[in-house]
Structures are given as C-alpha cells and as structure tokens.
Short mmCIF file of all heavy atoms in Angstrom, two decimals:
data_model
loop_
_atom_site.label_atom_id
_atom_site.label_comp_id
_atom_site.label_asym_id
_atom_site.label_seq_id
_atom_site.Cartn_x
_atom_site.Cartn_y
_atom_site.Cartn_z
N PRO A 15 101.94 43.61 -26.26
CA PRO A 15 101.56 44.14 -27.57
C PRO A 15 102.72 44.05 -28.57
O PRO A 15 103.89 44.03 -28.19
CB PRO A 15 101.26 45.61 -27.26
CG PRO A 15 102.22 45.94 -26.16
CD PRO A 15 102.35 44.68 -25.32
N GLN A 16 102.36 44.02 -29.84
CA GLN A 16 103.38 44.16 -30.87
C GLN A 16 103.79 45.62 -31.03
O GLN A 16 104.95 45.91 -31.32
CB GLN A 16 102.84 43.63 -32.21
CG GLN A 16 102.57 42.14 -32.23
CD GLN A 16 102.05 41.68 -33.57
OE1 GLN A 16 102.46 42.17 -34.62
NE2 GLN A 16 101.12 40.73 -33.55
N VAL A 17 102.82 46.52 -30.84
CA VAL A 17 103.07 47.95 -31.00
C VAL A 17 102.52 48.68 -29.77
O VAL A 17 101.35 48.48 -29.40
CB VAL A 17 102.42 48.52 -32.27
CG1 VAL A 17 102.76 50.00 -32.43
CG2 VAL A 17 102.87 47.74 -33.50
N LEU A 18 103.34 49.50 -29.15
CA LEU A 18 102.94 50.28 -27.99
C LEU A 18 102.87 51.76 -28.38
O LEU A 18 103.84 52.33 -28.87
CB LEU A 18 103.94 50.10 -26.85
CG LEU A 18 103.73 50.96 -25.59
CD1 LEU A 18 102.40 50.64 -24.93
CD2 LEU A 18 104.89 50.76 -24.61
N PHE A 19 101.70 52.36 -28.17
CA PHE A 19 101.52 53.78 -28.45
C PHE A 19 101.57 54.55 -27.13
O PHE A 19 100.83 54.23 -26.19
CB PHE A 19 100.18 54.03 -29.13
CG PHE A 19 100.12 53.52 -30.55
CD1 PHE A 19 99.68 52.23 -30.81
CD2 PHE A 19 100.50 54.33 -31.61
CE1 PHE A 19 99.62 51.75 -32.12
CE2 PHE A 19 100.44 53.86 -32.92
CZ PHE A 19 100.01 52.57 -33.17
N LEU A 20 102.42 55.56 -27.08
CA LEU A 20 102.58 56.39 -25.89
C LEU A 20 102.30 57.84 -26.25
O LEU A 20 103.06 58.47 -26.99
CB LEU A 20 104.02 56.26 -25.34
CG LEU A 20 104.48 54.86 -24.95
CD1 LEU A 20 105.95 54.89 -24.54
CD2 LEU A 20 103.63 54.31 -23.82
N ASP A 21 101.20 58.37 -25.74
CA ASP A 21 100.81 59.75 -26.03
C ASP A 21 101.27 60.64 -24.88
O ASP A 21 100.63 60.71 -23.83
CB ASP A 21 99.30 59.83 -26.21
CG ASP A 21 98.84 61.18 -26.77
OD1 ASP A 21 99.71 61.97 -27.19
OD2 ASP A 21 97.63 61.43 -26.78
N GLU A 22 102.42 61.30 -25.09
CA GLU A 22 103.02 62.19 -24.09
C GLU A 22 103.09 61.49 -22.73
O GLU A 22 102.51 61.96 -21.75
CB GLU A 22 102.25 63.50 -24.02
CG GLU A 22 102.25 64.24 -25.36
CD GLU A 22 101.66 65.64 -25.30
OE1 GLU A 22 101.46 66.14 -24.17
OE2 GLU A 22 101.43 66.22 -26.36
N PRO A 23 103.83 60.40 -22.64
CA PRO A 23 103.79 59.56 -21.43
C PRO A 23 104.43 60.18 -20.20
O PRO A 23 104.16 59.71 -19.09
CB PRO A 23 104.57 58.31 -21.87
CG PRO A 23 105.51 58.81 -22.92
CD PRO A 23 104.73 59.85 -23.67
N THR A 24 105.29 61.19 -20.35
CA THR A 24 105.96 61.74 -19.17
C THR A 24 105.46 63.14 -18.81
O THR A 24 106.10 63.83 -18.02
CB THR A 24 107.48 61.78 -19.37
OG1 THR A 24 107.81 62.66 -20.46
CG2 THR A 24 108.03 60.39 -19.67
N THR A 25 104.33 63.56 -19.37
CA THR A 25 103.76 64.85 -19.00
C THR A 25 103.45 64.87 -17.50
O THR A 25 102.80 63.97 -16.98
CB THR A 25 102.47 65.11 -19.80
OG1 THR A 25 102.79 65.19 -21.18
CG2 THR A 25 101.81 66.41 -19.35
N GLY A 26 103.94 65.89 -16.81
CA GLY A 26 103.69 66.03 -15.38
C GLY A 26 104.59 65.20 -14.50
O GLY A 26 104.42 65.19 -13.28
N VAL A 27 105.56 64.48 -15.08
CA VAL A 27 106.48 63.65 -14.30
C VAL A 27 107.77 64.43 -14.05
O VAL A 27 108.28 65.10 -14.95
CB VAL A 27 106.78 62.33 -15.06
CG1 VAL A 27 107.79 61.49 -14.28
CG2 VAL A 27 105.49 61.56 -15.28
N ASP A 28 108.29 64.35 -12.83
CA ASP A 28 109.50 65.11 -12.50
C ASP A 28 110.71 64.55 -13.26
O ASP A 28 110.68 63.41 -13.75
CB ASP A 28 109.76 65.10 -10.99
CG ASP A 28 110.06 63.71 -10.46
OD1 ASP A 28 111.14 63.17 -10.76
OD2 ASP A 28 109.21 63.14 -9.75
N PRO A 29 111.79 65.36 -13.39
CA PRO A 29 112.93 64.95 -14.22
C PRO A 29 113.54 63.61 -13.85
O PRO A 29 113.90 62.83 -14.74
CB PRO A 29 113.94 66.10 -14.01
CG PRO A 29 113.08 67.29 -13.73
CD PRO A 29 111.93 66.75 -12.92
N ARG A 30 113.65 63.30 -12.55
CA ARG A 30 114.25 62.02 -12.16
C ARG A 30 113.40 60.84 -12.63
O ARG A 30 113.91 59.88 -13.22
CB ARG A 30 114.43 61.98 -10.64
CG ARG A 30 115.01 60.66 -10.15
CD ARG A 30 115.23 60.67 -8.66
NE ARG A 30 115.75 59.40 -8.18
CZ ARG A 30 116.04 59.14 -6.91
NH1 ARG A 30 115.88 60.08 -6.00
NH2 ARG A 30 116.49 57.95 -6.55
N ASN A 31 112.10 60.91 -12.36
CA ASN A 31 111.22 59.82 -12.77
C ASN A 31 111.08 59.75 -14.28
O ASN A 31 110.87 58.68 -14.85
CB ASN A 31 109.85 59.98 -12.11
CG ASN A 31 109.84 59.51 -10.67
OD1 ASN A 31 110.18 58.38 -10.38
ND2 ASN A 31 109.46 60.39 -9.76
N ARG A 32 111.20 60.92 -14.95
CA ARG A 32 111.15 60.93 -16.41
C ARG A 32 112.28 60.09 -16.98
O ARG A 32 112.09 59.29 -17.90
CB ARG A 32 111.22 62.36 -16.91
CG ARG A 32 111.06 62.49 -18.43
CD ARG A 32 111.06 63.94 -18.86
NE ARG A 32 109.88 64.63 -18.37
CZ ARG A 32 109.91 65.75 -17.66
NH1 ARG A 32 111.07 66.29 -17.32
NH2 ARG A 32 108.79 66.31 -17.26
N ARG A 33 113.48 60.26 -16.44
CA ARG A 33 114.62 59.49 -16.94
C ARG A 33 114.47 57.99 -16.65
O ARG A 33 114.88 57.15 -17.45
CB ARG A 33 115.92 60.04 -16.34
CG ARG A 33 116.36 61.34 -17.01
CD ARG A 33 117.48 62.03 -16.27
NE ARG A 33 118.03 63.12 -17.04
CZ ARG A 33 117.46 64.31 -17.19
NH1 ARG A 33 116.28 64.55 -16.62
NH2 ARG A 33 118.02 65.26 -17.92
N GLU A 34 113.87 57.66 -15.52
CA GLU A 34 113.62 56.25 -15.22
C GLU A 34 112.64 55.65 -16.23
O GLU A 34 112.80 54.51 -16.68
CB GLU A 34 113.07 56.11 -13.80
CG GLU A 34 114.10 56.42 -12.71
CD GLU A 34 113.51 56.32 -11.31
OE1 GLU A 34 112.27 56.11 -11.21
OE2 GLU A 34 114.26 56.45 -10.33
N LEU A 35 111.63 56.44 -16.61
CA LEU A 35 110.67 55.96 -17.60
C LEU A 35 111.33 55.79 -18.96
O LEU A 35 111.00 54.86 -19.71
CB LEU A 35 109.49 56.93 -17.70
CG LEU A 35 108.44 56.82 -16.60
CD1 LEU A 35 107.47 57.98 -16.67
CD2 LEU A 35 107.68 55.50 -16.70
N TRP A 36 112.27 56.67 -19.29
CA TRP A 36 113.00 56.52 -20.55
C TRP A 36 113.71 55.17 -20.59
O TRP A 36 113.72 54.50 -21.63
CB TRP A 36 114.03 57.64 -20.71
CG TRP A 36 113.44 59.00 -20.93
CD1 TRP A 36 112.13 59.30 -21.21
CD2 TRP A 36 114.13 60.24 -20.87
NE1 TRP A 36 111.98 60.66 -21.33
CE2 TRP A 36 113.18 61.27 -21.12
CE3 TRP A 36 115.46 60.60 -20.62
CZ2 TRP A 36 113.53 62.61 -21.15
CZ3 TRP A 36 115.81 61.93 -20.65
CH2 TRP A 36 114.86 62.93 -20.91
N GLU A 37 114.31 54.79 -19.47
CA GLU A 37 115.02 53.50 -19.42
C GLU A 37 114.04 52.34 -19.62
O GLU A 37 114.35 51.35 -20.32
CB GLU A 37 115.75 53.36 -18.08
CG GLU A 37 116.90 54.35 -17.90
CD GLU A 37 117.54 54.23 -16.54
OE1 GLU A 37 117.14 53.31 -15.78
OE2 GLU A 37 118.44 55.04 -16.22
N VAL A 38 112.86 52.45 -19.02
CA VAL A 38 111.85 51.39 -19.18
C VAL A 38 111.41 51.30 -20.64
O VAL A 38 111.33 50.20 -21.22
CB VAL A 38 110.63 51.67 -18.27
CG1 VAL A 38 109.49 50.71 -18.61
CG2 VAL A 38 111.02 51.53 -16.81
N ILE A 39 111.14 52.44 -21.26
CA ILE A 39 110.67 52.45 -22.65
C ILE A 39 111.74 51.88 -23.58
O ILE A 39 111.44 51.09 -24.48
CB ILE A 39 110.28 53.88 -23.06
CG1 ILE A 39 109.04 54.33 -22.27
CG2 ILE A 39 110.00 53.95 -24.57
CD1 ILE A 39 108.74 55.81 -22.39
N ARG A 40 112.98 52.25 -23.35
CA ARG A 40 114.07 51.73 -24.17
C ARG A 40 114.18 50.22 -24.00
O ARG A 40 114.41 49.49 -24.98
CB ARG A 40 115.37 52.43 -23.80
CG ARG A 40 116.64 51.84 -24.42
CD ARG A 40 116.55 51.63 -25.90
NE ARG A 40 116.44 52.85 -26.66
CZ ARG A 40 116.25 52.89 -27.98
NH1 ARG A 40 116.11 51.75 -28.66
NH2 ARG A 40 116.15 54.04 -28.61
N SER A 41 114.01 49.72 -22.79
CA SER A 41 114.11 48.27 -22.57
C SER A 41 112.98 47.53 -23.29
O SER A 41 113.17 46.41 -23.77
CB SER A 41 114.07 47.96 -21.07
OG SER A 41 112.78 48.18 -20.51
N LEU A 42 111.81 48.13 -23.38
CA LEU A 42 110.70 47.51 -24.10
C LEU A 42 111.03 47.38 -25.58
O LEU A 42 110.76 46.35 -26.21
CB LEU A 42 109.42 48.34 -23.91
CG LEU A 42 108.91 48.48 -22.47
CD1 LEU A 42 107.69 49.38 -22.44
CD2 LEU A 42 108.59 47.12 -21.87
N ALA A 43 111.61 48.42 -26.16
CA ALA A 43 111.99 48.37 -27.57
C ALA A 43 113.11 47.37 -27.79
O ALA A 43 113.11 46.63 -28.79
CB ALA A 43 112.40 49.76 -28.05
N ASP A 44 114.04 47.31 -26.87
CA ASP A 44 115.15 46.36 -26.99
C ASP A 44 114.64 44.92 -26.99
O ASP A 44 115.27 44.03 -27.56
CB ASP A 44 116.15 46.56 -25.86
CG ASP A 44 116.95 47.86 -26.00
OD1 ASP A 44 116.95 48.43 -27.11
OD2 ASP A 44 117.56 48.30 -25.01
N ALA A 45 113.49 44.71 -26.33
CA ALA A 45 112.91 43.36 -26.27
C ALA A 45 112.04 43.06 -27.49
O ALA A 45 111.47 41.97 -27.59
CB ALA A 45 112.08 43.21 -25.00
N GLY A 46 111.92 44.03 -28.43
CA GLY A 46 111.23 43.77 -29.68
C GLY A 46 109.92 44.50 -29.91
O GLY A 46 109.32 44.39 -30.98
N THR A 47 109.45 45.26 -28.91
CA THR A 47 108.20 46.01 -29.07
C THR A 47 108.45 47.27 -29.88
O THR A 47 109.39 48.01 -29.62
CB THR A 47 107.61 46.38 -27.70
OG1 THR A 47 107.34 45.20 -26.96
CG2 THR A 47 106.31 47.17 -27.85
N THR A 48 107.59 47.54 -30.85
CA THR A 48 107.64 48.81 -31.57
C THR A 48 106.97 49.87 -30.72
O THR A 48 105.89 49.65 -30.18
CB THR A 48 106.90 48.70 -32.92
OG1 THR A 48 107.52 47.67 -33.70
CG2 THR A 48 106.96 50.01 -33.69
N VAL A 49 107.62 51.03 -30.57
CA VAL A 49 107.09 52.11 -29.74
C VAL A 49 106.84 53.34 -30.61
O VAL A 49 107.76 53.82 -31.29
CB VAL A 49 108.05 52.46 -28.59
CG1 VAL A 49 107.49 53.62 -27.76
CG2 VAL A 49 108.30 51.24 -27.70
N PHE A 50 105.61 53.82 -30.58
CA PHE A 50 105.25 55.07 -31.27
C PHE A 50 104.96 56.09 -30.18
O PHE A 50 104.03 55.93 -29.39
CB PHE A 50 104.03 54.86 -32.15
CG PHE A 50 103.68 56.05 -33.00
CD1 PHE A 50 104.09 56.12 -34.32
CD2 PHE A 50 102.92 57.09 -32.50
CE1 PHE A 50 103.77 57.21 -35.12
CE2 PHE A 50 102.60 58.19 -33.28
CZ PHE A 50 103.02 58.25 -34.59
N LEU A 51 105.74 57.14 -30.14
CA LEU A 51 105.76 58.07 -29.02
C LEU A 51 105.45 59.48 -29.51
O LEU A 51 106.03 59.95 -30.49
CB LEU A 51 107.16 58.04 -28.38
CG LEU A 51 107.54 59.08 -27.35
CD1 LEU A 51 106.90 58.76 -26.02
CD2 LEU A 51 109.06 59.12 -27.20
N THR A 52 104.51 60.16 -28.85
CA THR A 52 104.35 61.59 -29.08
C THR A 52 104.86 62.33 -27.85
O THR A 52 104.73 61.84 -26.72
CB THR A 52 102.88 62.00 -29.33
OG1 THR A 52 102.13 61.87 -28.12
CG2 THR A 52 102.26 61.14 -30.41
N THR A 53 105.45 63.47 -28.08
CA THR A 53 106.03 64.21 -26.96
C THR A 53 106.19 65.67 -27.30
O THR A 53 106.32 66.04 -28.47
CB THR A 53 107.39 63.63 -26.54
OG1 THR A 53 107.89 64.33 -25.40
CG2 THR A 53 108.41 63.72 -27.67
N GLN A 54 106.13 66.52 -26.27
CA GLN A 54 106.49 67.92 -26.41
C GLN A 54 107.92 68.17 -25.92
O GLN A 54 108.46 69.26 -26.12
CB GLN A 54 105.55 68.80 -25.58
CG GLN A 54 104.10 68.79 -26.05
CD GLN A 54 103.25 69.71 -25.22
OE1 GLN A 54 103.55 70.89 -25.06
NE2 GLN A 54 102.18 69.18 -24.68
N TYR A 55 108.51 67.18 -25.27
CA TYR A 55 109.82 67.36 -24.67
C TYR A 55 110.93 67.04 -25.67
O TYR A 55 111.05 65.91 -26.15
CB TYR A 55 109.97 66.47 -23.43
CG TYR A 55 109.03 66.85 -22.31
CD1 TYR A 55 108.04 65.97 -21.89
CD2 TYR A 55 109.13 68.07 -21.68
CE1 TYR A 55 107.17 66.30 -20.87
CE2 TYR A 55 108.27 68.42 -20.66
CZ TYR A 55 107.29 67.54 -20.25
OH TYR A 55 106.43 67.87 -19.24
#
C-alpha cells in the first residue's frame, strides 16, 4: 500500500512483542509507506 492505517495495532500485545511491532512499523515507514496510527498507548 501507499498508505497503511493501523487502528490500535498493539492492543492486547505484551510489552516485548509490542516493541518488536514498533520496529516493524518503523521499518515500513523507512521504506516509504505512510503510516496513520491510532493508539491509546
């Protein structure tokens, strides 16, 4: 996609896996994808 929408993507995920997902999301943006993220965290 050109734009990735993430609606509270780490809800219910434990802290370790949450940080791993952060790295994945950052890598997607670094590759050129626009990320629109909603979060309570």
Side-chain angles (χ1 to χ4, degrees):
Q16 294 180 36
V17 182
L18 175 62
F19 290 90
L20 302 175
D21 190 10
E22 300 188 12
T24 63
T25 297
V27 177
D28 64 70
R30 178 178 178 179
N31 281 304
R32 184 177 293 126
R33 284 169 170 77
E34 291 178 354
L35 281 170
W36 292 348
E37 293 177 5
V38 171
I39 293 168
R40 171 50 66 185
S41 71
L42 298 177
D44 289 343
T47 300
T48 301
V49 178
F50 186 97
L51 169 77
T52 70
T53 183
Q54 295 182 54
Y55 295 115

